Amino acid sequence: MFKKSFIITGLFLLVSLTSFAQEWAEEVKAESASGILSSSFVQSGASSLSLFDDLSLQVRLIDPSLPAKGIKRSPAKAPSLSIFDHTLYFATSCDGCILRLINEDGDVEYAIEIPENTSTITLPFYLYGEYELQILRGNYCFFGFVEL
């Protein structure tokens, strides 16, 4: 008898929590769509809803004619970073790499060496428009496109 009431109570709690979670998710979607989602909610760890744009980086060799050093058994791993407004957030280390922004004409608009232990870089606010973001590491160029 005790076992049955325990199971029934557990099922009741599970249904209640599921219903609450669905209502909460619908409310968050409505707030997000109306643009009133607070930044404190986003920073609290909601991974499915984020104001940050994850940058998808591709890789290419800077100079394919250079001989490879050693035996490479796996492809080069692209850095993981996000952008919000003019701030880049690094999830992986890019110490000593060169960060460049290339404008639509192919000119280097901005370049900086990424300092040690850097987790964020704020780009100058005079930069606006679409740029090719490049991170240069050795003979590899990791690149993607950003809108500032």
Side-chain angles (χ1 to χ4, degrees):
M1 183 68 174
F2 178 72
K3 203 181 226 183
K4 286 182 183 178
S5 66
F6 183 74
I7 291 173
I8 291 172
T9 304
L11 288 173
F12 175 76
L13 288 174
L14 180 64
V15 170
S16 297
L17 288 174
T18 303
S19 175
F20 174 77
Q22 287 174 343
E23 289 174 13
W24 180 76
E26 289 173 8
E27 184 179 321
V28 168
K29 284 181 186 177
E31 288 177 0
S32 175
S34 66
I36 58 173
L37 185 62
S38 71
S39 62
S40 62
F41 172 77
V42 172
Q43 293 174 354
S44 69
S47 60
S48 63
L49 295 172
S50 177
L51 296 176
F52 295 85
D53 290 328
D54 291 330
L55 297 177
S56 176
L57 299 179
Q58 300 175 26
V59 64
R60 65 178 173 235
L61 289 173
I62 295 173
D63 186 358
S65 66
L66 289 177
K69 296 179 182 175
I71 298 172
K72 298 289 183 187
R73 292 184 174 84
S74 62
K77 183 164 173 57
S80 177
L81 62 141
S82 303
I83 187 167
F84 177 70
D85 195 23
H86 277 67
T87 304
L88 294 171
Y89 297 88
F90 294 89
T92 56
S93 174
C94 291
D95 295 352
C97 296
I98 304 294
L99 170 78
R100 297 192 314 185
L101 292 177
I102 310 298
N103 64 19
E104 293 174 350
D105 298 329
D107 299 324
V108 177
E109 189 84 20
Y110 178 77
I112 186 173
E113 182 175 341
I114 301 171
E116 271 189 50
N117 302 321
T118 298
S119 60
T120 63
I121 290 181
T122 302
L123 302 172
F125 287 101
Y126 65 82
L127 296 171
Y128 61 92
E130 187 172 339
Y131 294 92
E132 179 180 334
L133 180 135
Q134 297 179 345
I135 296 177
L136 307 175
R137 181 190 303 149
N139 196 29
Y140 294 105
C141 174
F142 302 98
F143 66 97
F145 296 93
V146 294
E147 181 79 31
L148 299 175

